[in-house]
Amino acid sequence: MSETKINDVQILATHNSFKQYLDPNLSGIIETVCSLSDISLEEYQHLPLKDQLDKGVRGFELDVFADPEGGRYREFRFLSLIGEDGQSHDPDLDKPGFKVMHDVNFDFHATCHLFTGCLSEIKEWSNAHPNHLPIFIHVQVRDEPTPIIGKYLSVIGLVQPIIITKKLLDALDKEIRATIPAQQLITPDQVRGNYMTLREAALANSWPNLADARGKFIFYMDVRPGVRDLYLEDHPQLEGRAIFTAPADSSADDAAFIILNSPVEDGGKIKELVLKGFIVRTRADSGTVEAYNNDRRTWEAALLSGAQIISTDYIVPDPKTGTDYYVFMPNGNPGRCNPIRESFCDADTIAE
């Protein structure tokens, strides 16, 4: 058996890992907002990041909005407009740097609002548990206004996200490198090695050995195509970049990570990609539907698909659902041998 690599393992991750319940003062308008736009304002929340790690989570999703000067999102303006206290009372929102929220006008409560602050929390836990499985961090770089509602943001005094530029993406890289030491970061350059493209490296199984990846972090990006193009500009094959891209097409030269969020419909495709050497992220549940219906079929499909990163909104039951639905690794550990790559994986090497 060859030495276990990071793509031979399946881990538990959370979706919108920072999210807290919607502000109760907005409950009366949530239905109206959803009916006027194609966003979904969903009522669920997560434990603090360190608590998630204690429960076995080894993958996070952080939605980030640019705020280079600081203070752009300090006031939750819709609350102010309806006569409630709109002040965030979080000094981190006054600091320069990317901010973490699900939506800057309606779904803004988070366990940590400063991107580097969130990373610092994870890094602090990592320092105390240096032998942990590698932690995968899904960075969703956001710059879109709320659909339809976005057309009227300036009229009613709400806030527009800052459009992402190459300069801002450079700043995002700097924030990661300023928080996570180089020796704890798995980068595209390391995986690509002497191969011409990242795709070639993935197909050649040029991922780090699990033993060498313990205690480390690996970042991948979920963005609209134009932002991906900006991130690649002047950085062919992500040379010098801190984050892997996740192109929609696995034939792209920068394909190493792939996001396919529907394991029931795409289970066969996910298995094929995982066998080839790609790392795939999928979801065990979406939109609170599975939790409220206590439906484990998507979760089961995700496990069987072999997707290395299985993301959920529920690592503990949520009393709001009225069910006992939650997601975990079948062996009770943070990770297990990937069922599609089991022949490459030594189960005795997987712990923490």
Side-chain angles (χ1 to χ4, degrees):
M1 180 184 294
S2 61
E3 193 167 1
T4 304
K5 297 198 171 187
I6 64 172
N7 61 318
D8 299 326
V9 177
Q10 192 172 59
I11 60 103
L12 178 66
T14 50
H15 166 250
N16 292 332
S17 308
F18 51 89
K19 182 173 155 51
Q20 296 293 276
Y21 288 135
L22 298 166
D23 194 292
N25 293 307
L26 296 181
S27 59
I29 64 164
I30 293 299
E31 185 175 344
T32 300
V33 170
C34 290
S35 67
L36 289 174
S37 80
D38 55 8
I39 66 166
S40 177
L41 298 175
E42 296 155 359
E43 190 71 310
Y44 65 91
Q45 71 174 12
H46 284 294
L47 299 169
L49 301 179
K50 287 182 183 179
D51 292 346
Q52 293 183 47
L53 287 159
D54 285 339
K55 289 190 172 292
V57 169
R58 295 296 180 266
F60 295 104
E61 179 186 331
L62 301 176
D63 291 9
V64 298
F65 294 85
D67 186 15
E69 296 181 4
R72 186 177 185 87
Y73 311 113
R74 69 160 63 92
E75 182 185 6
F76 305 143
R77 295 184 190 172
F78 204 90
L79 286 177
S80 298
L81 284 172
I82 62 173
E84 301 292 342
D85 179 10
Q87 298 305 310
S88 68
H89 305 291
D90 183 352
D92 279 349
L93 286 174
D94 288 319
K95 299 174 183 177
F98 280 85
K99 301 305 187 301
V100 175
M101 298 178 181
H102 192 227
D103 181 271
V104 298
N105 286 299
F106 300 102
D107 195 357
F108 35 71
H109 290 312
T111 57
C112 51
H113 276 126
L114 192 64
F115 180 53
T116 54
C118 297
L119 296 185
S120 293
E121 288 185 29
I122 301 169
K123 175 65 171 59
E124 185 177 336
W125 183 94
S126 173
N127 290 345
H129 304 80
N131 200 44
H132 63 76
L133 292 174
I135 295 172
F136 293 81
I137 299 184
H138 174 153
V139 183
Q140 187 165 10
V141 186
R142 306 276 303 278
D143 64 356
E144 74 282 5
T146 306
I148 299 181
I149 296 291
K151 297 178 182 180
Y152 309 104
L153 291 180
S154 59
V155 176
I156 60 177
L158 301 187
V159 64
Q160 290 270 20
I162 295 174
I163 299 299
I164 295 297
T165 63
K166 182 176 178 296
K167 182 179 179 181
L168 288 170
L169 291 170
D170 293 344
L172 183 63
D173 266 13
K174 289 178 182 177
E175 290 192 13
I176 291 172
R177 293 186 185 278
T179 312
I180 308 298
Q183 66 270 22
Q184 287 181 260
L185 194 59
I186 299 170
T187 66
D189 285 336
Q190 294 169 17
V191 172
R192 191 178 60 256
N194 294 322
Y195 291 94
M196 291 293 294
T197 69
L198 271 168
R199 182 177 187 275
E200 288 178 17
L203 293 174
N205 203 32
S206 183
W207 296 102
N209 293 327
L210 184 61
D212 296 331
R214 287 191 175 278
K216 295 184 179 180
F217 298 76
I218 184 166
F219 290 76
Y220 63 103
M221 178 182 291
D222 184 4
V223 293
R224 57 183 174 83
V227 174
R228 170 175 160 254
D229 293 342
L230 287 174
Y231 195 67
L232 286 163
E233 189 177 311
D234 299 327
H235 295 269
Q237 293 306 309
L238 298 173
E239 182 179 342
R241 286 301 198 185
I243 312 176
F244 288 80
T245 47
D249 187 347
S250 64
S251 67
D253 283 346
D254 56 320
F257 278 82
I258 304 292
I259 297 172
L260 286 171
N261 286 328
S262 302
V264 174
E265 293 84 355
D266 292 327
K269 186 176 182 179
I270 293 171
K271 289 178 184 177
E272 180 182 347
L273 291 168
V274 168
L275 275 173
K276 286 182 176 179
F278 296 100
I279 290 181
V280 180
R281 182 264 199 176
T282 196
R283 292 181 64 177
D285 41 66
S286 178
T288 73
V289 173
E290 288 85 358
Y292 276 86
N293 292 304
N294 208 12
D295 184 350
R296 291 167 166 77
R297 288 176 294 179
T298 305
W299 170 25
E300 291 167 356
L303 289 167
L304 291 172
S305 75
Q308 290 92 343
I309 305 166
I310 298 180
S311 186
T312 179
D313 291 327
Y314 299 92
I315 61 164
V316 293
D318 187 330
K320 287 182 180 287
T321 68
T323 73
D324 63 356
Y325 177 91
Y326 74 105
V327 172
F328 53 89
M329 282 289 112
N331 62 2
N333 294 326
R336 68 170 187 166
C337 282
N338 191 313
I340 304 303
R341 300 186 60 85
E342 207 158 11
S343 61
F344 304 105
C345 179
D346 180 359
D348 292 335
T349 67
I350 301 176
E352 295 193 55

